[in-house]
Amino acid sequence: MPEMLDIVDENGIPTGRSVPRTVAHAEGLRHRTSHVWIVRRKAGRVQVLLQMRCAAKDSYPGCYDISSAGHIPAGDEFVGSALRELREELGVDASAEDLHECGLRRFRFEAEFHGKPFKDNQVSKVFCLWLDKEAEDFNVQKSEIDYVKWFDLDEAIRAVDEGTIPNCIFPEELGMVKEFVQKASPLGEAGREAD
């Protein structure tokens, strides 16, 4: 059975119509995704975890991407979907309280992958998750991800802005992550990491 997605309005509210994911991308129909950026402090610097998309992905194969992201199946919600993707893609068990909402993003673009047109029209809820764990200790979903790697946040922002790493990351979203970590209390982070 195909993966079904709710068609949504500009605020991410379902319209009552659902279509297969392939149809949403073929026709550019607006749907929802959850984006979770995993961050940590290491040696006094903030780092962000990026995943390397595997070569078989239907879009942006072989590119660095958000720590964990996924389409929201019909009938599901942003937070539940974010937590499920963390478990499936990275083997991370988190709770709703661990996710820090950074805002909503809307975007659309068209490209071609594997010889087929791809039209993406998303409403994405962006979250940050504090988690201090070494890259090799994540249990990555090999059908989706080749590996994960920590980058200093400022280095990741520069690499995305300058295009020095293959990526499908929106600079605005990394900006949301930077804004979140600048507002975060170091004491609050340490407490959450120790939980």
Side-chain angles (χ1 to χ4, degrees):
M1 182 160 160
E3 180 182 4
M4 299 295 288
L5 304 179
D6 287 325
I7 303 308
V8 298
D9 68 14
E10 62 278 357
N11 296 309
I13 308 297
T15 62
R17 180 176 170 223
S18 300
V19 298
R21 175 177 171 163
T22 52
V23 172
H25 286 157
E27 298 179 15
L29 302 173
R30 189 185 301 119
H31 55 281
R32 297 172 298 167
T33 58
S34 286
H35 294 177
V36 180
W37 295 88
I38 298 178
V39 291
R40 70 177 182 179
R41 281 197 194 277
K42 198 75 166 178
R45 298 184 62 81
V46 173
Q47 295 184 327
V48 61
L49 187 78
L50 301 184
Q51 65 164 260
M52 171 56 73
R53 296 167 67 86
C54 75
K57 291 293 287 180
D58 66 351
S59 61
Y60 296 103
C63 287
Y64 281 108
D65 200 358
I66 300 160
S67 311
S68 174
H71 288 77
I72 298 178
D76 207 348
E77 292 302 324
F78 287 109
V79 171
S81 185
L83 295 172
R84 187 191 66 254
E85 290 292 338
L86 280 166
R87 259 191 318 277
E88 289 176 1
E89 290 186 350
L90 302 174
V92 170
D93 283 314
S95 66
E97 298 76 39
D98 297 326
L99 296 179
H100 302 273
E101 190 174 323
C102 299
L104 207 60
R105 284 202 59 250
R106 298 164 191 85
F107 61 90
R108 53 183 313 152
F109 70 88
E110 294 187 27
E112 188 175 300
F113 300 104
H114 307 292
K116 295 180 186 167
F118 185 90
K119 300 177 184 178
D120 213 358
N121 187 357
Q122 292 186 18
V123 176
S124 303
K125 193 162 277 192
V126 179
F127 301 96
C128 278
L129 170 69
W130 290 104
L131 182 62
D132 189 1
K133 183 176 183 172
E134 296 310 313
E136 60 272 15
D137 294 332
F138 286 92
N139 184 16
V140 301
Q141 184 180 20
K142 286 299 188 181
S143 61
E144 302 272 331
I145 302 167
D146 281 343
Y147 60 88
V148 292
K149 180 179 176 181
W150 287 105
F151 287 79
D152 280 351
L153 179 56
D154 290 334
E155 173 194 330
I157 290 170
R158 191 166 41 255
V160 168
D161 283 346
E162 297 172 2
T164 55
I165 59 171
N167 75 88
C168 54
I169 296 169
F170 288 94
E172 303 89 345
E173 218 163 296
L174 272 176
M176 293 169 81
V177 174
K178 179 146 183 143
E179 185 177 328
F180 164 75
V181 299
Q182 286 174 334
K183 290 179 181 173
S185 151
L187 184 61
E189 295 158 30
R192 189 154 296 281
E193 286 172 11
D195 288 349

